[in-house]
Amino acid sequence: MNPANAPLVIVGAGHAGGRAALTLRAEGYRGRLILIGDEVHPPYERPPLSKGLLQGTMELAGCSVCDSVQLAELDIEHLAGNPVKTLDPALHRLQLADGSWLQYARLLLATGGRARRLSSVPEHLPNVLYLRTHDEALALRASLQPNTRVVIIGGGFIGLEVAATARALGCSVTLLEAGPRLAGRVLPERLSDALLELHRRQGVDVRLNVAIETLLGATRAEAVQLVDGQLLPCDLIVVGIGMQPNTELASAAGLEVGQGIRVDAQLRTSAPDIYAAGDVCEFRLHPQGSFQRQETWRNAETQGRHAALNLLGGELPFEVIPGFWSDQFDWGLQTTGVIANTEPTVSRTVSEGGFLLFYLDAEQRLQGACGWGQGNSVAKDIKLCERLIANQIPLSADALADANVSLKQLLRN
């Protein structure tokens, strides 16, 4: 059943959902368009939450995809604080928290995720904080006062970026990572080592291979006790152990779900007229590749746009080279293509202690690259690597390793 004159509905008013709504209007769709979100805020981007917004140098307007005025001008109905509770694909309808039912012609699920909870950390303690939403960022910002003793649980990108911001604000920071290296799930060892060296140089007390025994304190967390008996007194605990994708709505409706909502090359789910995009979307980069999710700004931006085009009847396969970046103190990490936590094929030293790492396939074609350098110094090289990946031309490993051979020259060749 596809009701005549039913609206297009987007469930999830984050970055991907907001970008999809704006794209639908930009592409000429003039029908009824409904954007449903759990938060009261208009759609916003999440990377600034651990950087500018947490530092106090940016407010919500600075990271918004659009504001309430723009939504109204574009006649996009933003339903906030009335989330979807039930999805009925067979009848092309959904039920809101207030009990009302809403028909849809086509639907986009951009439900994102929530901060993953640590079962060993009690949630009722007021100085145990997470960072996933704007409001959580404001609560954390208010707590990051000079000389505050902060313990951060998790050595991934959220934990590391919060650590860098907290140190810049004058806090004493201890970072706990259960694994043998930082961001070890996604980065090669050399980059993990660079992150470790930088953070320790900036005064972050990084502890690797540690496990938490318990938290001490009845009404507030006063200390973290490790399994080895060490006691870490603290004023504030920040848990940054990843994201839990919001797949429950899709799963209950019978859609195919793995680590996210599974889609085909056009970002269609297993149910008719329902698409998925953003952090919750599990897709294949290549037809024969394995399913994956990408929790990046680029993925939310590009999939939001792409899903909108296919909601309008397009049959466009999603074929975007992935990439992400992370700012750490005055250094930057950028990647493009498919990288892994394995050893890269080739490395190249660049100026002022930076480096590039390259991943080649069996035919010597570039599949992925990552760079580490001061500020934004590796951005141009990573852009050139993206073009080399797109061209899929065989490359000389020796030339890639030689800093005197420009990547632009390899591209021209």
Side-chain angles (χ1 to χ4, degrees):
M1 176 181 177
N2 191 341
N5 301 318
L8 294 183
V9 176
I10 300 170
V11 180
H15 183 176
R19 182 57 63 203
L22 296 180
T23 302
L24 287 168
R25 288 299 190 225
E27 291 295 318
Y29 175 70
R30 294 292 171 259
R32 190 180 178 198
L33 177 55
I34 302 174
L35 179 64
I36 305 173
D38 291 350
E39 296 184 63
V40 298
H41 310 293
Y44 59 86
E45 301 172 358
R46 297 194 187 276
L49 298 185
S50 57
K51 306 180 188 76
L53 200 138
L54 198 58
Q55 294 162 358
T57 60
M58 178 186 290
E59 299 302 329
L60 180 61
C63 53
S64 293
V65 176
C66 55
D67 59 25
S68 298
V69 173
Q70 188 177 8
L71 290 172
E73 288 174 346
L74 293 173
D75 196 23
I76 298 171
E77 300 175 42
H78 180 208
L79 305 184
N82 192 16
V84 177
K85 291 300 183 184
T86 306
L87 180 59
D88 185 351
L91 295 179
H92 274 65
R93 64 177 188 165
L94 54 85
Q95 187 178 37
L96 301 173
D98 65 7
S100 61
W101 288 90
L102 180 65
Q103 299 285 154
Y104 64 84
R106 285 185 170 179
L107 179 74
L108 173 62
L109 293 173
T111 48
R114 57 197 183 274
R116 192 181 297 276
R117 265 39 190 177
L118 191 62
S119 59
S120 60
V121 175
E123 290 197 35
H124 69 276
L125 302 176
N127 61 335
V128 175
L129 301 180
Y130 292 79
L131 179 58
R132 174 69 187 173
T133 68
H134 169 265
D135 292 348
E136 288 172 337
L138 290 187
L140 181 54
R141 185 168 84 182
S143 300
L144 293 178
Q145 300 301 316
N147 300 316
T148 299
R149 297 170 300 173
V150 183
V151 171
I152 298 172
I153 301 172
F157 289 112
I158 285 293
L160 291 168
E161 289 175 2
V162 171
T165 298
R167 283 297 295 144
L169 294 173
C171 299
S172 168
V173 179
T174 301
L175 186 142
L176 308 178
E177 166 55 41
R181 54 190 179 90
L182 298 175
R185 186 171 58 89
V186 293
L187 292 181
E189 188 171 355
R190 187 170 175 187
L191 269 172
S192 293
D193 290 345
L195 285 167
L196 178 62
E197 191 275 333
L198 173 65
H199 277 259
R200 284 181 169 166
R201 190 171 73 241
Q202 294 289 343
V204 179
D205 181 4
V206 180
R207 313 279 186 97
L208 302 175
N209 295 306
V210 295
I212 296 169
E213 176 71 30
T214 188
L215 263 60
L216 303 182
T219 58
R220 291 178 63 83
E222 297 173 2
V224 177
Q225 183 175 331
L226 303 181
V227 169
D228 65 6
Q230 291 186 76
L231 204 61
L232 306 174
C234 62
D235 304 305
L236 175 68
I237 294 175
V238 182
V239 182
I241 56 169
M243 186 207 80
Q244 179 71 40
N246 293 327
T247 58
E248 291 82 2
L249 184 68
S251 182
L255 277 63
E256 185 179 357
V257 170
Q259 297 300 312
I261 302 172
R262 290 194 166 175
V263 298
D264 64 11
Q266 286 73 32
L267 303 183
R268 276 187 300 247
T269 72
S270 57
D273 298 320
I274 299 179
Y275 295 73
D279 288 354
V280 79
C281 178
E282 192 177 34
F283 64 101
R284 288 187 170 103
L285 270 177
H286 307 289
Q288 305 307 317
S290 57
F291 278 103
Q292 62 178 274
R293 285 190 310 105
Q294 292 183 6
E295 301 165 17
T296 67
W297 181 95
R298 177 181 290 193
N299 191 59
E301 178 75 12
T302 55
Q303 283 193 344
R305 292 181 185 276
H306 204 89
L309 298 176
N310 287 343
L311 279 168
L312 294 175
E315 287 290 327
L316 305 168
F318 181 71
E319 298 171 336
V320 174
I321 296 172
F324 69 89
W325 76 90
S326 177
D327 298 324
Q328 308 280 333
F329 297 101
D330 54 351
W331 285 71
L333 179 157
Q334 295 192 35
T335 80
T336 185
V338 179
I339 69 164
N341 58 3
T342 55
E343 282 298 300
T345 315
V346 187
S347 64
R348 170 188 289 211
T349 300
V350 295
S351 62
E352 299 181 32
F355 56 83
L356 298 170
L357 305 177
F358 305 98
Y359 289 83
L360 301 174
D361 66 10
E363 284 75 40
Q364 296 297 99
R365 297 172 302 189
L366 190 63
Q367 300 300 299
C370 44
W372 174 252
Q374 291 196 355
N376 206 30
S377 61
V378 297
K380 187 179 294 184
D381 285 333
I382 292 298
K383 280 287 186 186
L384 290 169
C385 287
E386 187 171 331
R387 293 171 63 187
L388 286 168
I389 292 170
N391 284 1
Q392 285 294 280
I393 52 176
L395 298 168
S396 161
D398 290 339
L400 283 174
D402 188 350
N404 294 315
V405 179
S406 74
L407 296 178
K408 187 175 291 187
Q409 181 65 40
L410 294 178
L411 191 63
R412 281 200 293 264
N413 291 344

